[in-house]
Coordinates of all heavy atoms in Angstrom, one line a residue:
M1 N 35.9 21.0 23.8 CA 37.3 21.0 23.3 C 38.0 19.7 23.8 O 37.9 19.4 25.0 CB 38.0 22.3 23.7 CG 39.4 22.4 23.1 SD 40.1 24.0 23.4 CE 41.1 23.6 24.9
R2 N 38.8 19.1 22.9 CA 39.5 17.9 23.4 C 40.8 18.2 24.0 O 41.4 19.1 23.6 CB 39.8 17.0 22.1 CG 38.5 16.4 21.5 CD 38.9 15.4 20.4 NE 39.7 16.0 19.4 CZ 40.2 15.3 18.4 NH1 39.9 14.1 18.2 NH2 41.0 15.9 17.5
T3 N 41.1 17.5 25.1 CA 42.4 17.7 25.8 C 43.4 16.8 25.1 O 43.0 15.8 24.4 CB 42.2 17.4 27.3 OG1 41.9 16.0 27.4 CG2 41.2 18.2 27.9
D4 N 44.7 16.9 25.5 CA 45.7 16.0 25.0 C 45.4 14.6 25.4 O 45.6 13.7 24.7 CB 47.1 16.4 25.5 CG 47.6 17.6 24.7 OD1 47.0 18.0 23.6 OD2 48.6 18.2 25.1
H5 N 44.9 14.5 26.7 CA 44.6 13.2 27.2 C 43.5 12.4 26.3 O 43.7 11.3 25.9 CB 44.1 13.3 28.6 CG 43.7 12.0 29.2 ND1 44.6 11.0 29.6 CD2 42.5 11.4 29.5 CE1 44.0 10.0 30.1 NE2 42.7 10.2 30.0
S6 N 42.4 13.1 26.0 CA 41.4 12.4 25.3 C 41.8 12.2 23.9 O 41.3 11.2 23.2 CB 40.1 13.3 25.3 OG 40.2 14.5 24.6
R7 N 42.7 13.0 23.3 CA 43.2 12.8 21.9 C 44.0 11.5 21.9 O 44.1 10.9 20.8 CB 44.1 13.9 21.5 CG 43.3 15.1 21.0 CD 44.3 16.2 20.6 NE 45.1 15.8 19.4 CZ 44.7 15.9 18.2 NH1 43.5 16.5 17.9 NH2 45.4 15.5 17.2
L8 N 44.6 11.0 23.0 CA 45.4 9.8 22.9 C 44.7 8.6 23.5 O 45.4 7.5 23.6 CB 46.7 10.1 23.7 CG 47.6 11.2 23.0 CD1 48.8 11.5 23.9 CD2 48.0 10.8 21.7
C9 N 43.4 8.7 23.9 CA 42.7 7.5 24.3 C 42.6 6.5 23.2 O 42.7 5.3 23.4 CB 41.3 7.9 24.8 SG 41.4 8.7 26.4
I10 N 42.4 6.9 22.0 CA 42.4 6.1 20.8 C 43.0 6.8 19.7 O 42.8 8.0 19.6 CB 40.9 5.7 20.5 CG1 40.9 4.8 19.2 CG2 40.0 6.9 20.3 CD1 39.5 4.2 18.9
F11 N 44.0 6.2 19.0 CA 44.7 7.0 18.0 C 44.8 6.2 16.7 O 45.9 5.8 16.3 CB 46.0 7.5 18.5 CG 46.9 6.5 19.3 CD1 47.9 5.9 18.7 CD2 46.6 6.3 20.6 CE1 48.7 5.0 19.4 CE2 47.4 5.4 21.3 CZ 48.4 4.7 20.7
P12 N 43.7 6.0 16.0 CA 43.8 5.3 14.7 C 44.5 6.1 13.7 O 44.9 5.5 12.7 CB 42.3 5.1 14.3 CG 41.6 6.2 15.0 CD 42.3 6.4 16.3
F13 N 44.7 7.4 13.9 CA 45.4 8.2 12.9 C 46.8 8.5 13.3 O 47.4 9.4 12.8 CB 44.6 9.5 12.7 CG 43.2 9.3 12.3 CD1 42.1 9.4 13.2 CD2 42.9 8.9 11.0 CE1 40.8 9.2 12.8 CE2 41.6 8.7 10.6 CZ 40.5 8.8 11.4
G14 N 47.3 7.8 14.3 CA 48.7 8.0 14.7 C 48.7 9.2 15.7 O 47.7 9.8 16.0
G15 N 49.9 9.6 16.0 CA 50.0 10.8 16.9 C 51.3 11.4 16.7 O 52.2 11.0 15.9
G16 N 51.5 12.6 17.3 CA 52.7 13.3 17.2 C 52.8 14.2 15.9 O 51.8 14.4 15.3
P17 N 54.0 14.7 15.6 CA 54.1 15.7 14.5 C 53.8 15.1 13.1 O 53.6 15.9 12.2 CB 55.6 16.1 14.6 CG 56.3 15.1 15.4 CD 55.2 14.5 16.3
R18 N 53.8 13.8 13.0 CA 53.6 13.2 11.6 C 52.2 12.4 11.6 O 52.1 11.5 10.9 CB 54.7 12.3 11.2 CG 56.1 12.9 11.1 CD 56.1 14.0 10.1 NE 55.7 13.6 8.7 CZ 56.6 13.2 7.8 NH1 57.9 13.2 8.1 NH2 56.3 12.8 6.6
N19 N 51.3 12.8 12.5 CA 50.0 12.1 12.5 C 49.3 12.4 11.2 O 49.6 13.3 10.4 CB 49.2 12.4 13.7 CG 48.6 13.8 13.7 OD1 49.1 14.7 13.1 ND2 47.4 13.9 14.2
C20 N 48.2 11.7 11.0 CA 47.4 11.7 9.8 C 46.8 13.1 9.5 O 46.2 13.7 10.4 CB 46.3 10.7 9.8 SG 45.2 10.7 8.4
I21 N 47.1 13.6 8.3 CA 46.5 15.0 8.0 C 45.1 14.9 7.5 O 44.4 15.9 7.4 CB 47.4 15.7 6.9 CG1 47.4 14.9 5.6 CG2 48.8 16.0 7.4 CD1 47.8 15.8 4.4
G22 N 44.6 13.6 7.3 CA 43.3 13.4 6.8 C 42.3 13.0 7.8 O 41.2 12.7 7.5
D23 N 42.7 13.1 9.1 CA 41.9 12.6 10.2 C 40.5 13.2 10.2 O 39.5 12.5 10.3 CB 42.6 12.6 11.5 CG 43.0 14.0 12.0 OD1 42.9 14.9 11.3 OD2 43.4 14.0 13.2
Q24 N 40.4 14.5 10.2 CA 39.1 15.2 10.3 C 38.3 14.9 9.1 O 37.0 14.7 9.2 CB 39.3 16.7 10.5 CG 40.0 17.1 11.8 CD 39.2 16.5 13.0 OE1 38.0 16.7 13.1 NE2 39.9 15.8 13.9
F25 N 38.9 14.9 7.9 CA 38.2 14.5 6.7 C 37.6 13.1 6.8 O 36.4 12.8 6.5 CB 39.1 14.6 5.5 CG 38.4 14.2 4.2 CD1 37.6 15.0 3.4 CD2 38.5 12.9 3.7 CE1 37.0 14.6 2.3 CE2 37.9 12.4 2.6 CZ 37.1 13.3 1.8
A26 N 38.4 12.1 7.3 CA 38.0 10.7 7.4 C 36.9 10.6 8.4 O 35.9 9.8 8.1 CB 39.2 9.9 7.8
L27 N 36.9 11.3 9.5 CA 35.9 11.2 10.5 C 34.6 11.8 9.9 O 33.5 11.3 10.1 CB 36.3 12.0 11.8 CG 37.4 11.3 12.6 CD1 37.8 12.2 13.8 CD2 36.9 10.0 13.2
M28 N 34.7 12.9 9.2 CA 33.5 13.6 8.6 C 32.9 12.6 7.6 O 31.7 12.4 7.5 CB 33.9 14.9 8.0 CG 32.8 15.5 7.2 SD 31.5 16.2 8.2 CE 32.3 17.6 8.8
E29 N 33.8 12.0 6.7 CA 33.3 11.1 5.7 C 32.6 9.9 6.3 O 31.5 9.5 5.8 CB 34.5 10.7 4.8 CG 34.1 9.9 3.6 CD 35.3 9.5 2.8 OE1 36.4 9.1 3.4 OE2 35.3 9.5 1.6
S30 N 33.1 9.4 7.3 CA 32.5 8.2 7.9 C 31.2 8.5 8.6 O 30.2 7.8 8.6 CB 33.5 7.5 8.9 OG 33.8 8.4 10.0
T31 N 31.1 9.8 9.2 CA 29.8 10.2 9.8 C 28.8 10.4 8.7 O 27.6 9.9 8.9 CB 30.0 11.6 10.5 OG1 31.0 11.4 11.5 CG2 28.8 12.0 11.2
V32 N 29.1 11.0 7.6 CA 28.2 11.1 6.5 C 27.7 9.8 5.9 O 26.6 9.5 5.6 CB 28.8 12.0 5.3 CG1 27.9 12.0 4.1 CG2 29.0 13.4 5.8
A33 N 28.7 8.9 5.7 CA 28.4 7.5 5.2 C 27.4 6.8 6.1 O 26.4 6.2 5.7 CB 29.7 6.7 5.0
L34 N 27.6 6.9 7.4 CA 26.8 6.3 8.4 C 25.4 6.9 8.4 O 24.3 6.2 8.4 CB 27.4 6.4 9.8 CG 26.7 5.6 10.9 CD1 26.6 4.1 10.6 CD2 27.4 5.8 12.2
A35 N 25.3 8.2 8.3 CA 24.0 8.9 8.2 C 23.2 8.5 7.0 O 22.0 8.3 7.1 CB 24.3 10.4 8.2
I36 N 23.9 8.4 5.8 CA 23.2 7.9 4.6 C 22.7 6.5 4.8 O 21.5 6.2 4.5 CB 24.1 8.0 3.4 CG1 24.4 9.5 3.1 CG2 23.5 7.3 2.2 CD1 25.5 9.7 2.1
L37 N 23.5 5.6 5.4 CA 23.1 4.3 5.6 C 21.8 4.2 6.6 O 20.9 3.5 6.3 CB 24.2 3.5 6.2 CG 24.0 2.0 6.4 CD1 24.0 1.2 5.1 CD2 25.0 1.4 7.4
L38 N 21.9 5.0 7.6 CA 20.8 5.0 8.6 C 19.6 5.6 8.1 O 18.5 5.4 8.7 CB 21.3 5.6 9.9 CG 22.4 4.8 10.7 CD1 22.9 5.5 11.9 CD2 21.9 3.4 11.0
Q39 N 19.7 6.5 7.1 CA 18.5 7.1 6.5 C 17.7 6.0 5.7 O 16.5 6.0 5.6 CB 18.8 8.2 5.5 CG 19.1 9.5 6.2 CD 19.5 10.6 5.2 OE1 20.0 10.2 4.1 NE2 19.3 11.8 5.5
K40 N 18.4 5.0 5.2 CA 17.8 4.0 4.4 C 17.5 2.7 5.1 O 16.6 1.9 4.7 CB 18.7 3.6 3.2 CG 18.9 4.8 2.3 CD 19.8 4.5 1.1 CE 19.9 5.8 0.2 NZ 20.8 5.7 -0.8
F41 N 18.2 2.4 6.2 CA 18.0 1.1 6.9 C 17.9 1.3 8.4 O 18.5 2.1 9.0 CB 19.2 0.2 6.6 CG 19.4 -0.2 5.2 CD1 20.2 0.5 4.4 CD2 18.6 -1.3 4.6 CE1 20.4 0.1 3.0 CE2 18.8 -1.6 3.3 CZ 19.7 -0.9 2.5
D42 N 17.0 0.4 9.0 CA 17.1 0.3 10.5 C 18.0 -0.9 10.7 O 18.1 -1.9 10.0 CB 15.7 -0.1 11.0 CG 14.8 1.1 11.0 OD1 15.2 2.2 11.3 OD2 13.6 1.0 10.7
V43 N 18.8 -0.7 11.8 CA 19.9 -1.7 12.1 C 19.6 -2.4 13.4 O 19.4 -1.7 14.4 CB 21.3 -1.1 12.1 CG1 22.3 -2.1 12.4 CG2 21.6 -0.3 10.8
E44 N 19.5 -3.7 13.4 CA 19.3 -4.4 14.7 C 20.5 -5.3 14.9 O 20.9 -6.2 14.0 CB 18.1 -5.3 14.5 CG 17.6 -6.0 15.8 CD 16.4 -6.9 15.5 OE1 15.4 -6.4 14.8 OE2 16.4 -8.0 15.8
V45 N 21.2 -5.1 16.0 CA 22.4 -5.9 16.3 C 22.0 -7.3 16.7 O 21.0 -7.4 17.5 CB 23.3 -5.2 17.4 CG1 24.5 -6.1 17.8 CG2 23.7 -3.8 17.0
R46 N 22.6 -8.3 16.2 CA 22.3 -9.7 16.5 C 23.2 -10.1 17.7 O 24.4 -9.8 17.7 CB 22.6 -10.6 15.3 CG 21.9 -10.2 14.1 CD 20.4 -10.0 14.2 NE 19.7 -11.3 13.9 CZ 18.4 -11.4 14.0 NH1 17.7 -10.4 14.4 NH2 17.8 -12.5 13.7
G47 N 22.6 -10.8 18.6 CA 23.4 -11.4 19.8 C 23.7 -10.2 20.7 O 23.1 -9.2 20.8
S48 N 24.8 -10.5 21.5 CA 25.2 -9.6 22.5 C 26.6 -9.1 22.2 O 27.6 -9.8 22.5 CB 25.2 -10.3 23.8 OG 25.9 -9.5 24.8
P49 N 26.8 -7.9 21.6 CA 28.1 -7.5 21.2 C 29.1 -7.4 22.3 O 30.3 -7.6 22.1 CB 27.9 -6.1 20.6 CG 26.5 -5.8 20.6 CD 25.8 -6.9 21.3
E50 N 28.6 -7.1 23.5 CA 29.5 -7.0 24.7 C 30.3 -8.3 24.9 O 31.5 -8.2 25.3 CB 28.8 -6.6 26.0 CG 28.1 -5.3 26.0 CD 26.7 -5.3 25.3 OE1 26.3 -6.3 24.9 OE2 26.1 -4.2 25.2
S51 N 29.7 -9.4 24.7 CA 30.4 -10.7 24.9 C 30.8 -11.4 23.7 O 31.8 -12.2 23.7 CB 29.4 -11.6 25.7 OG 28.2 -11.8 25.0
S52 N 30.2 -11.1 22.5 CA 30.6 -11.9 21.3 C 31.5 -11.2 20.3 O 32.1 -11.8 19.5 CB 29.3 -12.3 20.6 OG 28.6 -11.2 20.1
V53 N 31.7 -9.9 20.5 CA 32.6 -9.2 19.6 C 34.0 -9.1 20.1 O 34.2 -8.5 21.2 CB 32.1 -7.8 19.2 CG1 33.0 -7.0 18.3 CG2 30.7 -7.9 18.5
E54 N 35.0 -9.7 19.4 CA 36.3 -9.6 19.9 C 37.1 -8.7 19.0 O 37.1 -8.8 17.7 CB 36.9 -11.0 19.8 CG 38.3 -11.2 20.4 CD 38.8 -12.6 20.3 OE1 38.0 -13.6 20.2 OE2 40.1 -12.7 20.3
L55 N 37.9 -7.7 19.6 CA 38.6 -6.8 18.8 C 40.0 -7.3 18.5 O 40.6 -7.9 19.3 CB 38.7 -5.4 19.5 CG 37.3 -4.7 19.8 CD1 37.6 -3.4 20.5 CD2 36.6 -4.5 18.5
V56 N 40.5 -7.0 17.3 CA 41.9 -7.3 16.9 C 42.5 -6.0 16.4 O 41.9 -5.2 15.7 CB 42.0 -8.4 15.9 CG1 41.7 -9.8 16.5 CG2 41.1 -8.1 14.7
S57 N 43.7 -5.8 16.8 CA 44.5 -4.6 16.4 C 45.5 -5.0 15.3 O 46.2 -5.9 15.5 CB 45.2 -4.0 17.6 OG 44.2 -3.5 18.5
G58 N 45.6 -4.2 14.3 CA 46.6 -4.3 13.3 C 46.9 -2.9 12.8 O 47.1 -2.0 13.7
A59 N 46.8 -2.6 11.5 CA 46.9 -1.3 11.0 C 45.7 -0.5 11.5 O 45.8 0.7 11.8 CB 47.0 -1.2 9.5
T60 N 44.6 -1.2 11.6 CA 43.4 -0.6 12.1 C 42.8 -1.6 13.2 O 43.3 -2.7 13.3 CB 42.3 -0.4 11.0 OG1 42.0 -1.7 10.4 CG2 42.8 0.5 10.0
I61 N 41.8 -1.1 13.9 CA 41.2 -2.0 14.9 C 39.9 -2.5 14.3 O 39.1 -1.8 13.8 CB 40.8 -1.2 16.2 CG1 42.1 -0.6 16.8 CG2 40.1 -2.0 17.2 CD1 41.8 0.4 17.9
N62 N 39.8 -3.8 14.4 CA 38.6 -4.5 13.7 C 37.9 -5.4 14.7 O 38.5 -5.9 15.6 CB 39.1 -5.3 12.5 CG 39.8 -4.5 11.5 OD1 39.2 -3.7 10.9 ND2 41.1 -4.8 11.3
A63 N 36.7 -5.7 14.4 CA 36.0 -6.8 15.1 C 36.4 -8.1 14.4 O 36.3 -8.3 13.2 CB 34.5 -6.7 15.0
K64 N 37.0 -9.0 15.2 CA 37.6 -10.2 14.6 C 36.7 -11.0 13.7 O 37.1 -11.3 12.6 CB 38.1 -11.1 15.8 CG 38.9 -12.3 15.3 CD 39.4 -13.1 16.5 CE 40.2 -14.3 16.1 NZ 40.6 -15.2 17.2
N65 N 35.5 -11.2 14.1 CA 34.5 -12.0 13.3 C 33.4 -11.1 12.8 O 32.3 -11.6 12.6 CB 34.0 -13.2 14.0 CG 35.2 -14.2 14.4 OD1 36.0 -14.5 13.5 ND2 35.3 -14.5 15.6
G66 N 33.6 -9.8 12.8 CA 32.6 -8.9 12.4 C 31.6 -8.7 13.5 O 31.7 -9.1 14.6
M67 N 30.5 -7.9 13.2 CA 29.5 -7.7 14.2 C 28.2 -7.9 13.4 O 27.8 -7.0 12.6 CB 29.5 -6.3 14.8 CG 28.6 -6.2 15.9 SD 28.9 -4.7 16.9 CE 28.1 -3.5 15.9
W68 N 27.5 -9.0 13.6 CA 26.3 -9.3 12.8 C 25.2 -8.4 13.1 O 24.8 -8.2 14.3 CB 26.0 -10.8 13.0 CG 27.0 -11.7 12.4 CD1 28.1 -12.3 13.1 CD2 27.1 -12.1 11.1 NE1 28.8 -13.0 12.2 CE2 28.3 -12.9 11.0 CE3 26.3 -11.9 9.9 CZ2 28.7 -13.5 9.8 CZ3 26.7 -12.4 8.7 CH2 27.9 -13.2 8.7
C69 N 24.6 -7.9 12.1 CA 23.4 -7.0 12.2 C 22.4 -7.4 11.2 O 22.7 -8.0 10.1 CB 23.8 -5.6 11.9 SG 25.0 -4.9 13.0
K70 N 21.1 -7.1 11.5 CA 20.0 -7.3 10.6 C 19.6 -5.9 10.1 O 19.3 -5.0 10.9 CB 18.9 -8.0 11.3 CG 17.7 -8.3 10.4 CD 16.7 -9.1 11.2 CE 15.5 -9.4 10.4 NZ 14.4 -10.1 11.2
L71 N 19.6 -5.8 8.7 CA 19.2 -4.5 8.1 C 17.8 -4.6 7.6 O 17.5 -5.6 6.9 CB 20.2 -4.1 7.0 CG 21.7 -3.9 7.3 CD1 22.4 -3.4 6.1 CD2 21.8 -2.9 8.5
K72 N 17.0 -3.6 7.9 CA 15.7 -3.6 7.4 C 15.5 -2.3 6.7 O 15.7 -1.2 7.3 CB 14.7 -3.8 8.6 CG 13.3 -4.0 8.1 CD 12.4 -4.3 9.4 CE 10.9 -4.2 9.0 NZ 10.1 -4.1 10.2
R73 N 15.1 -2.4 5.4 CA 14.9 -1.1 4.6 C 13.8 -0.3 5.2 O 12.7 -0.8 5.6 CB 14.6 -1.5 3.2 CG 14.6 -0.2 2.3 CD 14.4 -0.6 0.8 NE 15.6 -1.1 0.2 CZ 16.6 -0.3 -0.2 NH1 16.5 1.0 -0.1 NH2 17.6 -0.8 -0.8
R74 N 14.1 1.0 5.4 CA 13.1 1.9 6.0 C 12.1 2.3 4.9 O 12.4 2.5 3.8 CB 13.8 3.1 6.6 CG 14.7 2.8 7.7 CD 15.4 4.0 8.2 NE 14.5 4.9 8.9 CZ 14.8 5.9 9.7 NH1 16.1 6.1 9.9 NH2 13.9 6.6 10.3
T75 N 10.8 2.4 5.3 CA 9.8 2.8 4.3 C 9.7 4.3 4.2 O 9.2 4.8 3.2 CB 8.4 2.1 4.7 OG1 8.2 2.4 6.1 CG2 8.5 0.7 4.4
K76 N 10.0 5.0 5.2 CA 10.0 6.5 5.1 C 11.0 7.1 6.0 O 11.7 6.5 6.8 CB 8.6 7.0 5.4 CG 8.1 6.7 6.8 CD 6.9 7.4 7.2 CE 6.5 7.2 8.6 NZ 5.5 8.1 9.2
Ligands
HEM1 C1 40.0 6.0 8.2 C2 40.8 6.7 7.4 C3 42.3 6.9 7.7 C4 43.1 6.3 8.7 C5 42.7 5.2 9.7 C6 44.4 6.9 8.5 C7 45.5 6.6 9.3 C8 46.8 7.1 9.2 C9 47.9 6.8 10.0 C10 47.9 5.7 11.1 C11 49.0 7.5 9.6 C12 50.4 7.5 10.2 C13 50.5 8.5 11.3 C14 51.8 8.4 12.1 O1 52.8 7.9 11.6 O2 51.8 8.8 13.3 C15 48.5 8.4 8.5 C16 49.3 9.3 7.8 C17 48.8 10.1 6.8 N1 47.5 10.1 6.3 FE1 46.0 9.1 7.0 N2 44.4 7.9 7.6 C18 43.1 7.9 7.1 C19 42.7 8.8 6.1 C20 43.4 9.7 5.4 C21 42.9 10.6 4.4 C22 41.4 10.7 4.0 C23 44.0 11.4 4.0 C24 44.0 12.5 3.0 C25 43.0 13.1 2.5 C26 45.1 10.9 4.7 C27 46.4 11.4 4.6 C28 47.5 11.0 5.3 C29 48.9 11.6 5.1 C30 49.3 12.6 4.0 C31 49.7 11.0 6.1 C32 51.2 11.2 6.3 C33 51.4 12.4 7.2 C34 52.9 12.6 7.5 O3 53.7 11.7 7.3 O4 53.2 13.8 7.9 N3 44.8 9.9 5.6 N4 47.2 8.1 8.3

């Protein structure tokens, strides 16, 4: 079970009484989308994300210059 503290460590869906009502749907949808992608492709991260990926915050949090990956279609 999440505590109030862990709920506020990251809040892409806002917080308080007017927070996003679609948050659980959006998290489920993104999990399903990632699962479908990973069924079809193996993903290899290029370089060292710890040092080369810079985060920028706006309406959402993004990797400033993306995160380069190599996708290889899975055979089974
Ligand atoms: C990655 C996907 C999404 C992100 C990042 C997101 C983010 C947000 C944010 C930041 C707010 C403002 C919260 C605040 O003012 O504290 C918001 C509000 C809202 N979101 Fe989302 N949202 C997402 C998906 C969805 C989906 C899928 C739905 C509906 C199915 C939805 C429905 C709403 C509604 C109705 C509000 C207004 C709530 C209110 O004013 O009481 N959102 N969302």
Side-chain angles (χ1 to χ4, degrees):
M1 190 172 90
R2 293 187 305 178
T3 63
D4 283 350
H5 177 74
S6 65
R7 281 180 64 85
L8 295 175
C9 285
I10 178 171
F11 46 101
F13 301 103
R18 299 300 300 269
N19 76 325
C20 178
I21 62 164
D23 62 348
Q24 294 305 309
F25 176 84
L27 288 172
M28 173 71 75
E29 188 180 39
S30 60
T31 302
V32 170
L34 188 58
I36 291 170
L37 184 75
L38 293 176
Q39 280 177 337
K40 295 182 178 171
F41 296 96
D42 286 323
V43 181
E44 188 184 310
V45 178
R46 310 301 272 178
S48 165
E50 294 84 1
S51 58
S52 61
V53 175
E54 190 181 333
L55 297 181
V56 286
S57 295
T60 58
I61 301 170
N62 302 293
K64 188 176 179 185
N65 299 310
M67 189 166 83
W68 291 94
C69 299
K70 185 176 179 184
L71 299 186
K72 192 173 162 197
R73 186 175 283 281
R74 298 178 69 166
T75 48
K76 59 173 185 163

